[in-house]
Amino acid sequence: QVQLVESGGGLVQAGGSLRLSCAASGRTFSSYAMGWFRQAPGKEREFVAAVSNSGGITDYADSVKGRFTISRDNAKNTVYLQMNSLKPEDTAAYYCNAQTSYGTIYWGKGTLVTVSS
């Protein structure tokens, strides 16, 4: 199994920035596609961003394009989400996920981001 641990969440003022990290276990991190999802109170979990195993292909939700950047460091078994120009509507629990080459999905426990207005 793959263990995922998110960090970097917290309270930030609107317009500010945060950088989330997700550390993964195992020696096969470089084979996983990685992603970030979020869930706000009373809302469904939604896709935020994803990055291919090599880091060469990225995808973003329309709501975060131009503000968020996903990246990975395979040598450190870590994926990042740089969040700039944060808005109150970005407030949510952010979850890291991994997809193995066989299609198995793993989830972290989440880290809370709160953006004050």
Side-chain angles (χ1 to χ4, degrees), residues 23-89:
S25 65
R27 297 183 298 170
T28 57
F29 178 78
S30 61
S31 71
Y32 309 153
M34 302 293 298
W36 289 94
F37 288 71
R38 68 187 182 187
Q39 187 167 20
K43 300 181 68 176
E44 297 290 325
R45 183 175 60 183
E46 65 176 349
F47 168 78
V48 175
V51 61
S52 63
N53 59 348
S54 68
I57 303 172
T58 57
D59 191 26
Y60 299 93
D62 288 342
S63 60
V64 306
K65 285 181 179 177
R67 300 189 298 121
F68 291 10
T69 303
I70 189 170
S71 62
R72 66 192 297 160
D73 186 340
N74 287 346
K76 296 182 178 180
N77 279 23
T78 302
V79 64
Y80 305 96
L81 185 68
Q82 178 67 47
M83 305 185 295
N84 299 326
S85 301
L86 283 163
K87 305 174 181 179
E89 52 262 44

